[in-house]
Amino acid sequence: MQIHDLPYPDPGVPDARSGPRFLWWLFRNQLDGQLKSLAWGLLHFASVASLPFCVGVAVQAAVDRSGGRLALAGGLMALACVGNAVGDTFLHRSAVTNWITAAARVQQLLGRKAAVLGSALTRRVAAGEVVAVSTGDVEKIGWFVEALSRFTAAAVTIVVVTVGLLVYQPALGVVVAVGLPVLALAVLPLLPRATRRADVQREKAGRATELASDTVAGLRVLRGIGGEDLFLDRYRRASQEVRHAAVRSARMWSLIAAVQVLLPGLLLITVVWYGVHLARDGRIDLGELVTVYSSVMLLTYPLRHFEEIAMAYSFSRPSARRAARVLSLERAMDTAGTRAAETPAGDLYDPRTGLCAPSGSLTAVVCGDPDAAGRLAERLGGHAAQEGTSVLLGGVPLDELPLDSARTAVLVQDKDPVLLSGTLRELLDVPASGSVAPGAALEAAQCQDVLAALVQGSLGAEDPMDARITERGRSLSGGQRQRLALARSLVTDPEVLVLDEPTSAVDSHTEARIAQGVRGLRSGRTTVVFTSSPLLLDRADRVVFLHEGTVVAVGGHRELVRTEPRYRAVVTRETEEETAPSAALRAGNGGRHPDEVPHGLRELETLEEIEETA
């Protein structure tokens, strides 16, 4: 696999049982690239290691005044330099290719996992951790995969050179053979502490990233309630903790680096001291001493890769563990799509709660617990966070359908939809039935003022469809983002559309118009709206009220306001103290409270005013 061939047609099925197993799986799946890198690495390191021999031959030829051997040494040295240059160039090329392709494979795996799990992913793993894995962690994992073949080439070179020195000059070769393993293993006692400090740094950095992500996402709200400074102080403290942890980790790695410099220096001193004594005794020639000395000096270069692989593994191990934890997540109710691909139609039914949304109707669902409503919305779309009985669409279990088919049949828009940066045309360029034009969807979602704002904020954009949307739509208000997301969902025109609080950030008049628009545009299609807004509830064909996870009442909005106190308490925001006297007054006034205009009925009057105006 080359960089220009990315992305992978199939990144494979990862071994996510643990971090080391995941790293080994990555290595095995890039075996061709690793072997190429190893071959070029051996050429590079062998060329470097042969230079001392060439120098030794040249020195001895000069001592012996042999022009032929001096020319031979020069030729060998030139050949070694060419091999060094070619090997180093292609080693770097192949190693970087391994790094990038490994990181790209991990990112593809994470992207596919996020697509499979949907919104259930952030319910099971913190959003900050997902961001950390998909950005910094993939680079560290790629670093280890890239460094492994280079380390292998360095280790093979060291072994070969050591054996060669034992054969070439046994007396000094023994010193080198004993000293090099000591150099390679000297840092091992320091690695556990360095790894622990690196883990602490990663953990604190992950928490700081998560805190920063949450703060930025809620910055508009924080400014509104005056909590911006409080969260900024929290982030400053978290950032300082990361800095302190990084300094402690750097101190340990600097000690390891110092050991890697000190011990080779001591070995060189030992070799020179012993070699001089051997030369004085006439047991070795001057050229042999220069060869051995130069070999030991140049061996410090491949020895540095022992430090690099130790650092790469200690940094990549926690990153691989986090990536494996995310990649090991599975859909709570995944049966691997045992049915053939189809798009079923019919009533949407949830056996766990008893919720039924008849085909072709607008069903509003009222649930006093917003979190429970969000989880139920995910269940209806086949994204359940817990195991249980599958939701049925036309009698077909959604979890037995292939994931693509299930998502084609049921689209869920959660209460905090994301707008990607780009033009409005690109935002609305989604898989769709073709029955709903973007203009009709924007009109139904009451986006006229949003279009004007986008044109005004985009230089040179005369057509609103060419106006640019900033990242996550941050330049727009919450209500404007909500309406654009609703328009995108309406353009998709799925068989079943599930909306979770689609108008919570808009005013009453706009909400009433959206209720009319959605009802008209979705005529003949199944729509489920989770809301407690009387303006939407009054427009629904039927209202379903859930209490403690079970359907307890079904009917029209006005009927349920009169007959179901718990429903009325949720919709009109009445407290328990207010509910009892309201019920008594209704009983004495033909079922109607004399002052029942707050909240619910006042919004209904707003709807009636809009209808009269229309």
Side-chain angles (χ1 to χ4, degrees):
M1 171 64 70
Q2 298 298 317
I3 295 176
H4 59 75
D5 296 325
L6 293 173
Y8 286 93
D10 181 10
V13 179
D15 185 349
R17 289 176 290 177
S18 66
R21 288 178 182 271
F22 180 61
L23 290 174
W24 175 243
W25 178 84
L26 280 176
F27 175 80
R28 287 190 291 109
N29 278 268
Q30 294 189 205
L31 193 56
D32 290 344
Q34 295 292 339
L35 291 177
K36 289 180 181 178
S37 182
L38 176 61
W40 291 118
L42 288 174
L43 175 62
H44 169 58
F45 289 120
S47 300
V48 172
S50 65
L51 287 174
F53 174 75
C54 300
V55 172
V57 172
V59 169
Q60 193 61 43
V63 171
D64 297 340
R65 298 181 181 276
S66 173
R69 280 189 294 161
L70 187 62
L72 175 63
L76 292 175
M77 190 173 297
L79 184 63
C81 289
V82 171
N84 181 21
V86 172
D88 189 26
T89 299
F90 285 94
L91 170 62
H92 178 74
R93 180 186 178 89
S94 59
V96 171
T97 299
N98 289 336
W99 185 339
I100 294 176
T101 52
R105 186 189 294 270
V106 177
Q107 286 182 323
Q108 275 188 257
L109 291 170
L110 291 170
R112 292 195 176 191
K113 183 60 65 174
V116 168
L117 295 177
S119 58
L121 174 62
T122 52
R123 289 187 180 273
R124 301 168 67 179
V125 180
E129 183 171 353
V130 177
V131 172
V133 171
S134 59
T135 53
D137 284 341
V138 295
E139 293 187 5
K140 296 177 180 63
I141 292 171
W143 177 26
F144 175 76
V145 174
E146 172 259 343
L148 192 57
S149 57
R150 190 164 55 234
F151 161 74
T152 304
V156 171
T157 301
I158 289 174
V159 172
V160 171
V161 171
T162 302
V163 173
L165 289 178
L166 284 172
V167 175
Y168 178 71
Q169 179 45 251
L172 288 177
V174 171
V175 177
V176 176
V178 172
L180 285 178
V182 174
L183 296 183
L185 302 176
V187 298
L188 288 183
L190 302 176
L191 286 179
R193 180 175 295 182
T195 301
R196 286 195 298 271
R197 292 188 179 184
D199 290 348
V200 171
Q201 179 190 353
R202 293 294 173 282
E203 181 181 353
K204 291 183 179 296
R207 285 203 296 265
T209 301
E210 182 177 351
L211 180 60
S213 177
D214 292 342
T215 302
V216 171
L219 192 58
R220 191 185 299 270
V221 177
L222 290 175
R223 286 175 174 170
I225 63 176
E228 181 181 3
D229 291 338
L230 174 63
F231 272 77
L232 287 177
D233 288 339
R234 288 182 182 178
Y235 180 73
R236 288 191 188 99
R237 289 195 298 270
S239 178
Q240 289 302 311
E241 290 179 4
V242 174
R243 184 178 67 84
H244 289 305
V247 170
R248 283 174 52 82
S249 178
R251 286 174 180 169
M252 206 66 219
W253 287 111
S254 64
L255 176 60
I256 292 175
V259 171
Q260 292 281 26
V261 172
L262 175 64
L263 294 184
L266 294 177
L267 178 61
L268 279 174
I269 293 173
T270 303
V271 168
V272 171
W273 175 80
Y274 186 52
V276 168
H277 281 282
L278 293 178
R280 285 179 177 177
D281 296 340
R283 296 170 58 184
I284 63 172
D285 296 331
L286 180 61
E288 293 176 333
L289 175 60
V290 171
T291 299
V292 175
Y293 168 78
S294 302
S295 297
V296 174
M297 182 177 66
L298 288 180
L299 280 179
T300 58
Y301 168 58
L303 272 174
R304 294 176 189 170
H305 293 82
F306 284 77
E307 176 190 355
E308 182 195 22
I309 196 65
M311 291 183 65
Y313 180 71
S314 64
F315 277 80
S316 66
R317 186 173 59 86
S319 297
R321 186 173 62 246
R322 282 195 291 268
R325 183 165 62 249
V326 174
L327 294 174
S328 64
L329 298 176
E330 298 292 344
R331 294 179 67 203
M333 299 161 56
D334 191 2
T335 57
T338 54
R339 287 179 177 265
E342 60 174 309
T343 304
D347 296 346
L348 184 67
Y349 176 66
D350 178 28
R352 176 183 291 183
T353 61
L355 170 64
C356 180
S359 176
S361 66
L362 173 59
T363 302
V365 181
V366 177
C367 183
D369 183 356
D371 291 334
R375 291 191 295 270
L376 178 54
E378 292 174 356
R379 275 179 52 77
L380 295 179
H383 310 303
Q386 298 176 349
E387 294 185 359
T389 307
S390 174
V391 172
L392 306 177
L393 178 59
V396 178
L398 285 179
D399 292 321
E400 294 183 7
L401 290 172
L403 188 60
D404 291 342
S405 298
R407 289 184 171 173
T408 300
V410 183
L411 173 66
V412 179
Q413 176 183 304
D414 60 26
K415 64 181 62 179
D416 187 22
V418 175
L419 301 182
L420 301 178
S421 60
T423 64
L424 181 57
R425 193 184 310 278
E426 293 169 341
L427 176 71
L428 299 180
D429 184 16
V430 293
S433 66
S435 300
V436 177
L442 290 168
E443 183 179 355
Q446 298 298 304
C447 293
Q448 294 83 352
D449 63 315
V450 185
L451 300 181
L454 288 175
V455 171
Q456 185 177 3
S458 300
L459 296 177
E462 298 180 0
D463 186 349
M465 298 298 290
D466 295 326
R468 296 200 63 81
I469 300 172
T470 57
E471 181 188 3
R472 298 181 68 91
R474 298 192 188 281
S475 61
L476 303 173
S477 67
Q480 290 173 328
R481 289 196 300 269
Q482 219 172 39
R483 283 176 280 163
L484 282 180
L486 177 59
R488 179 178 58 187
S489 299
L490 293 174
V491 166
T492 304
D493 189 36
E495 181 65 30
V496 179
L497 177 60
V498 180
L499 304 172
D500 187 5
E501 294 290 354
T503 58
S504 59
V506 301
D507 60 81
S508 297
H509 282 75
T510 304
E511 188 174 29
R513 293 190 179 95
I514 290 175
Q516 289 179 306
V518 171
R519 182 179 176 86
L521 197 62
R522 292 287 298 172
S523 178
R525 292 287 204 178
T526 306
T527 307
V528 181
V529 182
F530 286 83
T531 183
S532 59
S533 167
L535 295 171
L536 290 177
L537 294 171
D538 194 59
R539 275 298 185 183
D541 295 315
R542 69 202 303 260
V543 178
V544 179
F545 175 56
L546 280 83
H547 181 67
E548 296 182 352
T550 305
V551 173
V552 295
V554 179
H557 168 59
R558 303 185 189 219
E559 174 191 354
L560 292 178
V561 167
R562 291 193 302 268
T563 61
E564 178 55 63
R566 291 171 297 184
Y567 175 83
R568 183 170 57 251
V570 173
V571 173
T572 64
R573 282 74 166 176
E574 287 183 351
T575 64
E576 293 182 0
E577 291 77 7
E578 295 170 334
T579 303
S582 296
L585 286 169
R586 285 188 183 87
N589 289 276
R592 178 174 175 82
H593 194 296
D595 298 322
E596 194 173 33
V597 235
H599 303 298
L601 295 184
R602 182 178 294 122
E603 289 178 322
L604 292 180
E605 291 173 359
T606 301
L607 179 56
E608 291 168 357
E609 291 173 3
I610 293 172
E611 290 175 339
E612 291 173 1
T613 303

